[in-house]
């Protein structure tokens, strides 16, 4: 909503395996708005050294549920994991544990994902954004707190804040337009997930990734 369409890098979602095909998205002489699951390693660090880098994170407790919901929804199409969508095979608690600890050679563990996509980037000049802060700011666009949030975010992206920034945010944040918003994901009949992470799974997250929530500002 703040970057002209012709400045969006829309050929693909950048990841380590395909990054060499999308170096033009990171060209400082012709900057683009690009999205990525950007693992921290020597290759990606070198490639983004001139880019404005914004890292988006979510509370690990909520992320576990959101990840589970996505994996069993109609939006997830990975062939070797379609059996996760069969309710009689896996209870919701089992699925949540899989989202925390991973599935051997199929699904990475929570700690691996947060470590390589977010934590390892901290202290390198990235701008950290918490999903929950963005949601709160969208819900109260007339507040001073919301104005400060979006002023900081746009500044991190090198974008001058236009006068109609509230209208742009409201349109861009419309959940009806999101393919992966919770209410837009279709789950198999009979499959239910809790609204909040059960206490046992919260403790498992804390054991699996001690200090992670505190580091990201959630505890």
């Amino acid at each position: 909503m703040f970057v002209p369409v012709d400045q969006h890098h829309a050929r693909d979602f950048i990841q380590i395996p395909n990054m060499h095909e999308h170096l033009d998205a990171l060209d400082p002489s012709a900057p683009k708005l690009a999205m990525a699951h950007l693992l921290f390693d020597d290759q990606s660090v070198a490639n983004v050294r001139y880019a404005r880098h914004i890292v988006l994170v979510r509370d690990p407790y909520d992320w576990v549920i959101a990840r589970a919901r996505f994996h069993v929804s109609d939006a997830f199409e990975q062939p070797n994991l379609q059996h996760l969508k069969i309710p009689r095979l896996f209870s919701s608690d089992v699925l949540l544990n899989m989202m925390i600890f991973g599935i051997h050679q199929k699904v990475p563990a929570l700690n691996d994902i947060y470590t390589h996509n977010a934590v390892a980037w901290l202290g390198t000049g990235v701008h950290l954004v918490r999903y929950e802060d963005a949601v709160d700011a969208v819900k109260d666009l007339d507040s001073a707190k919301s104005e400060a949030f979006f002023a900081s975010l746009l500044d991190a992206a090198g974008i001058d804040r236009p006068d109609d920034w509230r209208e742009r945010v409201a349109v861009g944040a419309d959940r009806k337009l999101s393919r992966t918003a919770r209410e837009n994901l279709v789950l198999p009949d009979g499959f239910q997930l809790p609204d909040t992470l059960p206490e046992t799974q919260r403790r498992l997250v804390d054991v699996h990734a001690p200090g992670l929530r505190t580091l990201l500002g959630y505890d």
Side-chain angles (χ1 to χ4, degrees), residues 156-218:
I159 298 172
D160 293 330
R161 186 176 50 163
D163 293 336
D164 63 346
W165 68 270
R166 291 182 176 86
E167 290 79 7
R168 295 184 186 216
V169 169
V171 172
D174 187 349
R175 293 177 65 89
K176 298 186 186 69
L177 304 178
S178 172
R179 181 170 176 257
T180 57
R182 173 178 175 173
E183 60 272 22
N184 297 336
L185 292 175
V186 178
L187 273 58
D189 291 340
F191 212 112
Q192 294 184 342
L193 289 165
D195 292 329
T196 59
L197 196 65
E199 182 61 27
T200 296
Q201 276 70 29
R202 290 185 178 218
R203 293 180 181 180
L204 292 177
V205 169
D206 294 341
V207 168
H208 175 64
L212 175 61
R213 295 184 71 251
T214 299
L215 177 65
L216 298 178
Y218 287 109

Side-chain angles (χ1 to χ4, degrees), residues 12 21 65 88 101 112 115 127 133 156 179 195 200 204:
D12 207 341
E21 300 173 355
I65 299 177
R88 65 179 180 273
F101 297 104
D112 288 337
T115 294
H127 182 79
D133 294 340
R179 181 170 176 257
D195 292 329
T200 296
L204 292 177

Side-chain angles (χ1 to χ4, degrees), residues 65-77 81-87 90-92 95-96 98-99 185-189 191-193:
I65 299 177
R67 187 189 195 195
R69 182 176 293 108
F70 178 69
H71 271 68
V72 300
S73 74
D74 61 333
F76 186 73
E77 300 175 350
L81 293 174
Q82 292 303 297
H83 59 290
L84 297 183
K85 303 180 182 184
I86 304 175
F90 306 108
S91 67
S92 62
L95 187 63
L96 293 176
M98 290 179 178
M99 299 300 104
L185 292 175
V186 178
L187 273 58
D189 291 340
F191 212 112
Q192 294 184 342
L193 289 165

Side-chain angles (χ1 to χ4, degrees), residues 88-163:
R88 65 179 180 273
L89 283 182
F90 306 108
S91 67
S92 62
D93 288 340
V94 167
L95 187 63
L96 293 176
N97 282 16
M98 290 179 178
M99 299 300 104
I100 297 170
F101 297 104
I103 303 174
H104 182 59
Q105 296 185 342
K106 294 180 180 179
V107 175
L110 176 152
N111 198 28
D112 288 337
I113 291 179
Y114 273 84
T115 294
H116 299 295
N117 285 280
V119 171
W121 288 105
L122 299 181
T124 66
V126 301
H127 182 79
L128 182 69
V129 174
R130 287 185 289 267
Y131 171 79
E132 294 78 9
D133 294 340
V135 170
D136 289 343
V138 167
K139 290 179 178 178
D140 192 12
L141 288 174
D142 292 325
S143 69
K145 186 176 181 180
S146 177
E147 184 171 3
F149 173 84
F150 284 106
S152 175
L153 179 60
L154 291 173
D155 181 67
I159 298 172
D160 293 330
R161 186 176 50 163
D163 293 336

